[in-house]
Amino acid sequence: FYYQKDPEKEKKIVLAQKVSGIEQAQISNLLNIVMNEMDVYENELTVSGFNFMLPFADGAWFKYRFYIIDSTQNNQEEWVYHLGFAPNIKGELAFLGEAWIHAPTFAIQKIELKIEKNTNLNFVNDFTISQDFEFIDKKYWVKVKDRSTSGVSVTQRKNSKMVHIEKLKIFDKFKINQGIADSIFKSKRIYADNYRKKTDEFWSDNRQEILSESQNNVYFLIDSLKTTKAYKRYTNIGRTIVTGYYKTGPVDIGHLYNMLSYNPIEGYRIRLSTRSNRDLSENIWYKLYGAYGTNDEKFKYGVELRYKFIQEDSKIHEIGAIYKDDYQRFTLANTDANDYDYILNAFLRKNAFKDLVYVKDFSFYHKKEWNSVLMSKISGNFKQYKTVSGLIEFKSTQTDGTVKTVSGFRMVNPKIELEITPGAKYLYADGKRILIRSKLPRIIFDYTFSKKGFLGSDFNYH
């Protein structure tokens, strides 16, 4: 990790990463969402959106009671004061804890903080943090250990099931006030080759602290569990029910809830979909489906291709193209609603859909998350609509006042979208990002237009 104070810059090189259990949701990032990074000399720490006054803040005497627990000498025969502190009033946004103060410099040598049990933090049941510091070269106090734990409830109820999160950071091999070349800071984070494929021997040799027996047992339990037939069977069943796709090696087959449906136009509609998964490629993803109706005796299909660029911090950067030659509900043409042949729509709906049209739809896009604040998407779309006899009709009023029935039309439109979210924190899962928290309002801007005659488009609009 490189850091430059003036002008402020930083750079991280990830040599290795190990994950057992659930990888897609990046569960460890939850702790970053629960709390901000703590500077013990600042006035406040934000925990789950609440601002807690720190014990050595300006004016902390009004919120805290302090006690001298002990005073001892360290190996250099320097005095260290052991302090205890607690909120003056129960339930206040202040911490319980202890601190060890280095007498010659009055610097914090170690601090431990936790919240009272009756403090209401929404879904956070439990929270502790501790930090250790060392005096290097008799000049610099540096953080050498930072441990955080939190209990996050699945629901708002205090006694509900809870995810226990623990994060430990250890810092060593400090080099201070040595020149750093500007070229180092060209990117904020890079990953070493094969950083996720290191051996157990690598981890044994490179961990600053040896794993405890219980920590080793967690790895052993999870890795062993994943090899059992029962785990694989129930995981596949659960995954199929949730996603609608059954995994067969590098390819998923489905979609379970679209395989068979019925409507008056197509009769019984049989549909089979396939898509790739991570076992095939980390970068390239495809989805393909074909459908056949027993009444209309037509073959319909759709295909989607996506290429994902490797990005720092899992940020989104991708290009893609989509083509569809199939029926579609006209009134839901631009939404993410379930397809009309979704099994619940097909069998539980009393009346048949009256707004089906036949669509040839091609689009392409480039999407990039530039940083935690800004994401852009540039796309183009070509659609050709054709009416279905006996269903929805399109009417066009001519210049002479007569009304003409239109059997179909075309729309061609480029589009640009910008999403600005200051102070946001995200979870990244399966190529998607989920907004967890934002300090400021979210701004979304999109602009699209069509020019009549361009590639056969029948409309002018902005």
Side-chain angles (χ1 to χ4, degrees), residues 37-267:
E37 196 75 21
M38 182 174 82
D39 181 345
V40 292
Y41 295 101
E42 288 290 335
N43 289 331
E44 291 183 332
L45 173 65
T46 302
V47 181
S48 187
F50 294 89
N51 294 326
F52 281 70
M53 178 178 277
L54 288 166
F56 300 108
D58 300 331
W61 290 103
F62 296 103
K63 270 200 175 181
Y64 283 94
R65 301 190 306 274
F66 292 88
Y67 309 91
I68 295 180
I69 298 173
D70 195 7
S71 57
T72 57
Q73 285 186 308
N74 60 21
N75 295 335
Q76 288 77 39
E77 297 184 352
E78 298 168 328
W79 285 100
V80 177
Y81 301 119
H82 183 189
L83 300 182
F85 46 85
N88 274 325
I89 302 171
K90 283 189 176 184
E92 273 204 295
L93 296 182
F95 294 103
L96 288 168
E98 301 174 53
W100 289 258
I101 308 299
H102 181 248
T105 60
F106 281 96
I108 299 170
Q109 185 171 306
K110 182 175 181 178
I111 189 168
E112 297 176 351
L113 305 172
K114 64 180 180 179
I115 59 173
E116 290 187 297
K117 288 184 178 180
N118 59 346
T119 303
N120 184 15
L121 289 183
N122 295 333
F123 56 86
V124 177
N125 285 359
D126 169 31
F127 176 82
T128 65
I129 185 169
S130 65
Q131 293 183 350
D132 292 49
F133 300 84
E134 277 187 12
F135 200 31
I136 292 182
D137 301 333
K138 297 293 183 181
K139 287 183 180 180
Y140 312 107
W141 279 99
V142 294
K143 188 194 302 180
V144 294
K145 192 174 289 188
D146 188 346
R147 183 188 295 274
S148 310
T149 65
S150 183
V152 181
S153 295
V154 177
T155 69
Q156 292 281 354
R157 293 186 296 110
K158 283 286 183 179
N159 296 324
S160 70
K161 293 190 181 296
M162 185 171 69
V163 178
H164 176 76
I165 308 162
E166 180 174 336
K167 176 181 274 188
L168 170 63
K169 292 183 182 179
I170 301 172
F171 308 89
D172 63 4
K173 301 177 183 176
F174 287 92
K175 295 179 182 180
I176 298 175
N177 285 345
Q178 295 186 11
I180 305 175
D182 287 340
S183 58
I184 292 288
F185 296 107
K186 284 185 177 179
S187 60
K188 284 192 172 184
R189 177 175 295 199
I190 61 174
Y191 295 87
D193 292 339
N194 297 319
Y195 72 101
R196 296 183 67 181
K197 298 179 180 178
K198 301 299 183 182
T199 63
D200 291 340
E201 288 74 18
F202 171 89
W203 289 105
S204 297
D205 293 341
N206 286 277
R207 287 189 189 277
Q208 296 101 322
E209 285 190 1
I210 298 172
L211 290 179
S212 67
E213 184 179 355
S214 62
Q215 289 169 334
N216 266 316
N217 287 340
V218 169
Y219 276 119
F220 176 77
L221 178 65
I222 292 174
D223 292 339
S224 299
L225 180 65
K226 289 194 291 186
T227 63
T228 63
K229 290 183 179 179
Y231 175 86
K232 291 178 180 178
R233 182 170 59 251
Y234 288 121
T235 299
N236 276 337
I237 292 172
R239 186 175 183 272
T240 302
I241 292 172
V242 172
T243 67
Y245 285 88
Y246 182 79
K247 184 178 180 182
T248 57
V251 172
D252 299 344
I253 297 175
H255 185 280
L256 180 64
Y257 306 116
N258 294 94
M259 282 187 170
L260 180 65
S261 60
Y262 178 83
N263 65 76
I265 303 298
E266 298 172 278

